[in-house]
């Protein structure tokens, strides 16, 4: 049993070394930096132009630097980092906090006081008035076990900052794990009128409409979807208009407006309404319909971009495609033997669907870490007041803000001296 | 309104330039009135810059963070503000020698951008959220504080070198700037943390992921880790002086990379920045 304890202690001590934490943080930082500079995409999507580039790509993909945040060694380092935070909290942070809270550590004899960074003897100064002065300055004054020595503290609460910071990092990580275990994330692409199932729940969602708002200059103002939640009997229970930054939330499941793509054109040909379906070209060069016949000739619609800001109406001749005309998202009318009215593009709406029960936990971690890191700004200041012969001794230290503490210390000395002259002149 | 904004921007720039000269004059001749003139110039610059930013937001109908011009201007505003806080706090003007010209250069740089990059552009859909105000304000203030800390670290190194010749005054200044670097980082670091957090919360509300390893996110994580390392070195290891000053400088390089460098990579959701 003793052996086991010893081993455990050794492991804990190894893991809680600051050096290890620094090495881990630095390695994670360098890897994140590489992940920032190197474009993150699957190895198949790297196409080298020449031999040198091929060599570079080979190195990158061999080290998995193209997917660095998912690779096992990055995750292992993260795990090790978490473990080291836990270890350091147990072996360093908590003991150091206990030490600051422990009255014994604050009990100093007159010789010990002399070792403090600030030390001053004031002969003939009244002890009681010095005590009152420190209390007036919002110091918490307590007697120590040493006869005639008082300790006065301010900002002791800021000593909790380190513990709270480490705990909040762990809370955030717990939230991430909870999300990964109990949550899900998915994408849906559907056309207006279509219904999509969500395998994780027993209800469905229907896309009622999707449209793009434009500004007068043609830039996109907003992407909009109207969604209806259908219960298991197919009855609508909730309808909501969503846009980027405004999701639909139903039973803990969030629906975000994530993407869109042109799916076809609504057209009126010969006074008959038709839907001309468009799909992505295999070359990736845009979106087009199949060839369709009008008055004995063949035509296609072609849009270079998914937003169909410009759509080309092309006739397929034996010499290749010839442009009949082009139009923006407001459509256009043509007469090519038959009246053709391209009314408007119709889009797929792409939604991100997710449920993440870890979010409240992560937000709690966010709150705590903001609080605790701000707490760390405040100094922990300690003063000692001791009776020495007919005068007093003042000594002190501060873990931060040394300059402001030095000034404060000197001010206190001045005030104690002043009270001494007042007291003596009062007597005289 | 446009003319008034131009007038205020010019006032800011001129006030900062005068302040720069005054602070240099003060450092050379030690005349208190020259120093006070420098401070007055910084206050005028802060008021004028605040006015210019307000007018811009009113005219464009959204907070002034939509492009590089606006973010650079806002960055300069943050530096002026944080600098004035430290001046008030430490009763020390030496930092003005760096803070005034740096903010003047930032504003000059912003004003020299091509006109089409200076115009307040409408916001893309992803940026139309109240989070924009919260997230960007906090982040820019964090950048500003960390830049001021960088300036203090540089001054520390400067006075530290001078103090090698047994110059008591320089020794005192070196110690002051060492302390100041640390304390201003203690302002900047919580702000940076809060900025990253509000970014994560916004991302979670807009896209459903609080962290997507976007280049800006990665770079801000690197920056956060560097300053986290700084605080551990200082508070746990008791590092001071040259070693921590070096860390503060490394941290600042990370800040600049996060602010501008990421835009060279040119991907991700934060492409507000460069000439793209």
């Amino acid at each position: 049993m003793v052996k086991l304890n010893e081993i455990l202690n050794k492991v804990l001590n190894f893991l809680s070394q600051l050096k290890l934490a620094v090495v881990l943080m630095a390695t994670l930082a360098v890897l994140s930096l590489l992940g920032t500079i190197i474009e993150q995409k699957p190895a198949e999507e790297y196409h080298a132009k020449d031999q040198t580039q091929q060599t570079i790509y080979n190195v990158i993909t061999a080290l998995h630097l193209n997917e660095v945040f998912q690779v096992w060694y990055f995750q292992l380092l993260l795990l090790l980092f978490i473990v080291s935070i836990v270890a350091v909290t147990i072996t360093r942070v908590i003991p150091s906090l206990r030490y600051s809270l422990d009255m014994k550590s604050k009990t100093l004899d007159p010789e010990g006081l002399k070792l403090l960074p600030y030390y001053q003897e004031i002969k003939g100064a009244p002890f009681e008035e010095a005590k009152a002065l420190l209390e007036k300055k919002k110091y918490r004054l307590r007697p120590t076990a040493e006869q005639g020595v008082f300790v006065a503290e301010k900002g002791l609460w800021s000593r909790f900052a380190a513990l709270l910071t480490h705990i909040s990092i762990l809370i955030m990580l717990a939230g991430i794990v909870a999300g990964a275990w109990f949550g899900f994330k998915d994408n849906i692409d559907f056309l207006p009128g279509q219904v999509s199932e969500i395998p994780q729940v027993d209800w469905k969602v229907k896309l009622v409409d999707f449209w793009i708002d434009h500004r007068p200059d043609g830039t996109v103002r907003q992407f909009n979807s109207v969604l209806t939640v259908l219960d298991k009997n197919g009855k609508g229970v909730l309808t909501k208009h969503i846009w980027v930054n405004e999701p639909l939330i139903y039973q803990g499941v969030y629906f975000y407006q994530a993407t869109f793509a042109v799916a076809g054109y609504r057209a009126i040909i010969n006074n008959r309404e038709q839907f001309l379906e468009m799909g992505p070209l295999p070359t990736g060069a845009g979106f087009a319909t199949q060839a369709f016949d009008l008055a004995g000739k063949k035509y296609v619609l072609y849009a270079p971009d998914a937003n169909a800001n410009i759509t080309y109406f092309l006739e397929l001749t034996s010499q290749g495609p010839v442009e009949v005309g082009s139009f923006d998202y407001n459509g256009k009318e043509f007469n090519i033997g038959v009246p053709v009215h391209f009314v408007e593009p119709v889009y797929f709406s792409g939604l991100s669907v997710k449920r993440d029960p870890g979010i409240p936990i992560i937000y709690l971690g966010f709150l705590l870490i903001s609080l605790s890191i701000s707490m760390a700004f405040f100094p922990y200041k300690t003063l000692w007041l001791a009776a020495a012969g007919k005068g007093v001794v003042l000594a002190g230290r501060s873990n931060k803000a040394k300059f402001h503490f030095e000034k404060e210390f000197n001010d206190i000395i001045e005030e104690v001296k002043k009270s001494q002259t007042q007291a003596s002149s009062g007597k005289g | 309104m446009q003319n008034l904004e131009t007038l205020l921007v010019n006032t800011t720039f001129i006030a900062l330039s005068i302040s720069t000269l005054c602070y240099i004059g003060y450092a050379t001749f030690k005349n208190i009135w020259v120093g006070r003139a420098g401070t007055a110039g910084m206050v005028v610059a802060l008021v004028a810059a605040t006015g210019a930013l307000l007018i811009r937001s009113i005219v464009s109908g959204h907070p002034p963070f939509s492009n590089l011009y606006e973010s650079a201007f806002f960055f300069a505003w943050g530096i002026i503000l944080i600098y004035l806080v430290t001046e008030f706090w430490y009763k020390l003007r030496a930092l003005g020698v760096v803070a005034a010209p740096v903010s003047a250069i930032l504003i000059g740089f912003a004003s020299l951008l091509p006109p089409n990059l200076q115009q307040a552009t409408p916001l893309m859909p992803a940026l139309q959220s109240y989070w924009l105000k919260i997230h960007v304000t906090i982040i820019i203030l964090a950048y500003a504080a960390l830049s001021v800390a960088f300036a203090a670290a540089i001054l520390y190194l400067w006075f530290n070198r001078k103090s090698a010749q047994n110059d008591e005054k320089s020794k005192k200044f070196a110690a002051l700037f060492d302390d100041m670097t640390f304390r201003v980082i203690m302002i900047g670091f919580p702000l940076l943390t809060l900025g990253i957090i509000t970014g994560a919360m916004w991302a979670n509300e807009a896209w459903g992921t609080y962290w997507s390893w976007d280049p800006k996110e990665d770079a801000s994580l690197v920056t956060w880790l560097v300053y986290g390392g700084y605080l551990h070195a200082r508070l746990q290891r008791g590092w001071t002086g040259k070693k921590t000053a070096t860390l503060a400088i490394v941290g600042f390089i990370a800040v600049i990379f996060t602010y501008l460098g990421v835009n060279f990579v040119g991907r991700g959701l934060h492409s507000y920045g460069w000439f793209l």
Side-chain angles (χ1 to χ4, degrees):
Chain A
M1 267 329 272
V2 178
K3 264 257 163 81
L4 191 68
N5 264 340
E6 260 174 38
I7 294 169
L8 190 69
N9 269 336
K10 271 201 178 140
V11 171
L12 268 180
N13 277 332
F14 171 75
L15 286 170
S16 52
Q17 283 177 82
L18 188 67
K19 254 187 213 151
L20 179 72
V22 168
V23 168
L24 284 172
M25 273 161 100
T27 319
L28 286 171
V30 168
L31 286 175
S32 310
L33 193 63
L34 285 174
T36 311
I37 299 166
I38 298 166
E39 195 173 350
Q40 300 291 293
K41 59 183 182 184
E44 307 88 76
E45 288 178 27
Y46 277 100
H47 302 293
K49 286 200 198 90
D50 53 47
Q51 198 52 46
T52 339
Q53 228 176 24
Q54 188 61 49
T55 318
I56 296 170
Y57 289 165
N58 286 346
V59 172
I60 288 175
T61 47
L63 295 172
H64 297 285
L65 290 174
N66 56 320
E67 293 162 315
V68 71
F69 302 111
Q70 285 80 38
V71 75
W72 63 269
Y73 62 82
F74 187 84
Q75 311 247 328
L76 184 73
L77 284 170
L78 266 182
L79 186 73
L80 213 59
F81 186 50
I82 296 162
V83 173
S84 115
I85 291 175
V86 177
V88 83
T89 308
I90 296 169
T91 60
R92 301 276 161 81
V93 179
I94 293 175
S96 132
L97 181 62
R98 278 169 102 168
Y99 180 80
S100 330
L101 294 176
D102 184 9
M103 209 49 201
K104 256 190 237 154
S105 69
K106 293 164 197 164
T107 302
L108 296 175
D109 59 19
E111 285 309 304
L113 293 181
K114 284 186 187 157
L115 300 175
L116 291 166
Y118 299 100
Y119 180 88
Q120 181 82 49
E121 286 183 42
I122 313 164
K123 290 216 167 68
F127 186 77
E128 286 307 316
E129 308 222 354
K131 241 172 85 177
L133 179 74
L134 290 181
E135 264 165 356
K136 208 180 97 197
K137 289 196 176 287
K138 301 266 190 293
Y139 273 88
R140 180 172 171 230
L141 208 66
R142 282 183 293 175
T144 65
E146 186 77 21
Q147 186 65 35
V149 179
F150 277 70
V151 65
E153 292 165 300
K154 204 191 238 178
L156 182 58
W157 54 272
S158 75
R159 297 289 293 158
F160 285 89
L163 177 63
L164 204 53
T165 305
H166 287 109
I167 290 177
S168 37
I169 291 178
L170 295 177
I171 290 178
M172 286 190 279
L173 293 166
I176 293 171
V177 172
W181 280 353
F182 304 114
F184 67 87
K185 196 163 164 67
D186 227 329
N187 297 303
I188 331 179
D189 290 324
F190 50 178
L191 283 168
Q194 287 181 338
V195 174
S196 175
E197 299 200 2
I198 297 130
Q200 292 84 354
V201 294
D202 63 350
W203 42 271
K204 298 171 185 178
V205 67
K206 178 181 176 181
L207 179 66
V208 180
D209 199 3
F210 173 87
W211 73 97
I212 302 174
D213 286 333
H214 292 91
R215 296 193 183 86
D217 66 353
T219 58
V220 172
R221 191 197 302 278
Q222 196 51 269
F223 304 105
N224 306 270
S225 287
V226 174
L227 302 176
T228 298
V229 175
L230 305 174
D231 66 11
K232 53 187 166 202
N233 305 318
K235 211 178 101 215
V237 285
L238 173 69
T239 296
K240 191 177 174 191
H241 171 195
I242 70 162
W243 58 88
V244 180
N245 276 312
E246 181 67 33
L248 160 72
I249 307 163
Y250 185 70
Q251 292 191 351
V253 182
Y254 286 64
F255 296 84
Y256 300 91
Q257 182 68 59
T259 178
F260 72 97
V262 65
Y265 234 93
R266 203 157 70 76
I268 300 170
I269 300 171
N270 241 341
N271 299 321
R272 267 199 29 234
E273 184 161 340
Q274 293 191 12
F275 177 63
L276 302 167
E277 192 183 329
M278 295 169 88
L281 293 170
T283 56
F287 297 78
T289 59
Q290 301 283 347
F292 53 91
D293 291 329
L294 289 173
K297 291 178 179 162
K298 281 195 180 303
Y299 295 91
V300 289
L301 282 183
Y302 167 70
D305 295 310
N307 55 23
N309 270 350
I310 298 178
T311 303
Y312 295 93
F313 180 31
L314 306 170
E315 183 190 338
L316 298 175
T317 68
S318 49
Q319 277 87 42
V322 174
E323 185 178 326
V324 182
S326 67
F327 41 91
D328 65 7
Y329 43 81
N330 290 316
K332 198 172 181 179
E333 287 180 60
F334 292 88
N335 201 327
I336 43 157
V338 286
V340 179
H341 182 194
F342 297 108
V343 184
E344 57 177 9
V346 175
Y347 301 92
F348 275 111
S349 179
L351 306 182
S352 240
V353 188
K354 72 140 205 192
R355 178 162 65 196
D356 189 346
I359 291 293
I361 306 172
I362 291 172
Y363 278 24
L364 176 69
F366 283 174
L367 180 74
L368 290 180
I369 201 169
S370 315
L371 270 178
S372 61
I373 290 184
S374 310
M375 266 163 76
F377 172 77
F378 295 93
Y380 166 48
K381 298 185 274 195
T382 322
L383 289 170
W384 280 266
L385 177 68
K390 283 199 169 159
V392 298
V393 163
L394 258 174
R397 67 165 174 234
S398 168
N399 66 340
K400 279 166 232 157
K402 307 241 152 83
F403 271 89
H404 293 90
F405 183 70
E406 183 177 311
K407 190 173 172 300
E408 188 180 353
F409 187 79
N410 292 334
D411 287 351
I412 291 174
I413 301 285
E414 284 312 307
E415 283 188 55
V416 172
K417 279 185 182 159
K418 227 189 270 166
S419 71
Q420 160 193 7
T421 39
Q422 274 164 6
S424 52
S425 61
K427 267 176 215 156
Chain B
M1 286 297 249
Q2 201 87 48
N3 290 339
L4 184 59
E5 190 199 327
T6 313
L7 178 73
L8 286 171
V9 171
N10 292 341
T11 311
T12 312
F13 185 73
I14 293 166
L16 287 172
S17 309
I18 293 174
S19 274
T20 307
L21 293 177
C22 289
Y23 282 129
I24 293 172
Y26 177 64
T28 322
F29 306 115
K30 315 277 182 236
N31 181 318
I32 185 66
W33 289 102
V34 178
R36 281 180 188 156
T39 308
M42 286 303 256
V43 173
V44 169
L46 183 68
V47 172
T50 310
L53 285 170
L54 279 177
I55 289 175
R56 211 178 166 87
S57 335
I58 292 166
V59 170
S60 67
H62 61 76
F65 322 126
S66 71
N67 56 24
L68 186 62
Y69 171 83
E70 294 178 350
S71 79
F73 198 95
F74 193 51
F75 196 169
W77 178 85
I79 291 178
I80 302 169
L81 178 73
I82 302 275
Y83 164 74
L84 281 173
V85 169
T86 63
E87 187 187 307
F88 176 75
W89 214 2
Y90 282 84
K91 311 272 178 272
L92 191 69
R93 290 195 170 85
L95 195 61
V97 177
V98 186
V102 165
S103 29
I105 289 167
L106 262 173
I107 286 178
F109 160 75
S111 308
L112 287 175
L113 285 171
N116 62 322
L117 288 178
Q118 293 192 25
Q119 270 158 22
T121 44
L123 293 173
M124 58 189 268
L127 294 183
Q128 294 169 28
S129 163
Y130 60 93
W131 281 106
L132 180 68
K133 290 175 216 164
I134 304 170
H135 171 62
V136 183
T137 309
I138 295 173
I139 279 285
I140 294 277
L141 281 176
Y143 287 175
L146 297 171
S147 310
V148 170
F150 163 74
I154 294 282
L155 284 176
Y156 163 78
L157 290 175
W158 162 261
F159 282 111
N160 187 46
R161 254 185 69 184
K162 271 180 78 182
S163 72
Q165 296 136 21
N166 251 341
D167 172 0
E168 273 309 310
K169 188 115 200 189
S170 294
K171 240 180 214 165
K172 164 109 186 151
F173 271 130
L176 258 170
F177 280 115
D178 185 52
D179 191 64
M180 190 194 283
T181 310
F182 172 51
R183 294 213 91 196
V184 179
I185 286 178
M186 290 300 285
I187 296 176
F189 187 66
L191 285 171
L192 181 68
T193 311
L194 210 57
I196 296 173
I197 286 174
T198 50
M201 290 170 87
W202 182 6
N204 182 52
E205 276 193 21
W207 302 290
T209 31
Y210 43 82
W211 198 265
S212 49
W213 299 107
D214 162 272
K216 197 81 161 186
E217 289 172 351
D218 307 341
S220 68
L221 178 69
V222 172
T223 313
W224 193 84
L225 287 172
V226 172
Y227 285 106
Y230 177 98
L231 293 185
H232 280 88
R234 181 111 194 178
L235 291 172
Q236 290 305 309
R237 273 294 138 103
W239 284 18
T240 52
K242 253 190 190 161
K243 286 199 241 172
T244 40
T246 312
L247 268 177
I249 290 166
V250 173
F252 180 70
I253 295 169
V255 166
I256 292 301
F257 178 73
T258 312
Y259 175 52
L260 291 177
V262 169
N263 295 313
F264 284 118
V265 181
R267 284 173 284 114
L269 301 161
H270 291 86
S271 56
Y272 60 85
W274 206 235
F275 300 104
L276 297 168

